[in-house]
Amino acid sequence: MVREIWGRTANGCGHRQVRMCLVHEFGQSVSAKSVLRVMRRMGLRCAIRSRNPWRRYSSYRGETGGHVHNLLKRDFTADRPFSKLGTDVTEFKVAGSKAYLAPVYDMASKEIVAWDVSRRPDMACILSS
């Protein structure tokens, strides 16, 4: 009965639709998991909603921008001021919109030496501070 219901359409149908037809047309009381198990055993798959194995989602965009070498090698201590500087961009929600803070941190004196606030997190915000 499962193969008969599945073969009615060109691309087959899923286990939920097969179960619905079994219950309403043939009066069979069966669970959806049982129908799914039988369909897997028989090799029946719905071709409409099956994923394309060659086109899965990937956010990787390749090598974008230049490569920066790791000069600090996780050594965040400095002997003299302004020899090692670090920066980061932080997002804040302010008055219904977003603001981005870009501080510049001196690793020798452990102080913020410059900062900038912008509406967009772009390189102009970082370079202006």
Side-chain angles (χ1 to χ4, degrees):
M1 285 190 281
V2 171
R3 187 178 298 276
E4 176 190 336
I5 295 169
W6 183 82
R8 289 180 190 171
T9 57
N11 294 323
C13 53
H15 70 280
R16 294 180 186 97
Q17 188 173 354
V18 170
R19 182 198 172 270
M20 185 176 61
C21 292
L22 284 172
V23 170
H24 293 293
E25 292 177 21
F26 297 101
Q28 299 290 323
S29 177
V30 64
S31 71
K33 284 186 178 182
S34 298
V35 174
L36 180 62
R37 188 171 50 246
V38 169
M39 287 179 65
R40 282 184 179 161
R41 243 187 257 143
M42 295 172 74
L44 304 177
R45 296 194 64 199
C46 179
I48 295 171
R49 296 185 189 261
S50 64
R51 275 185 268 165
N52 185 348
W54 294 281
R55 287 197 60 191
R56 292 193 177 133
Y57 174 76
S58 174
S59 63
Y60 180 70
R61 294 186 182 180
E63 295 293 328
T64 59
H67 177 72
V68 178
H69 296 286
N70 186 6
L71 300 176
L72 292 180
K73 295 186 175 100
R74 300 200 57 83
D75 180 23
F76 301 114
T77 58
D79 298 332
R80 51 193 171 85
F82 295 101
S83 62
K84 291 183 184 178
L85 301 173
T87 186
D88 191 18
V89 179
T90 306
E91 177 184 287
F92 294 100
K93 290 185 180 179
V94 179
S97 64
K98 294 179 182 177
Y100 297 92
L101 172 68
V104 178
Y105 177 74
D106 182 20
M107 294 183 191
S109 64
K110 310 276 192 251
E111 294 179 352
I112 303 294
V113 293
W115 57 273
D116 187 31
V117 178
S118 175
R119 288 183 178 245
R120 286 184 250 38
D122 52 3
M123 282 299 287
C125 172
I126 296 169
L127 295 176
S128 67
S129 58

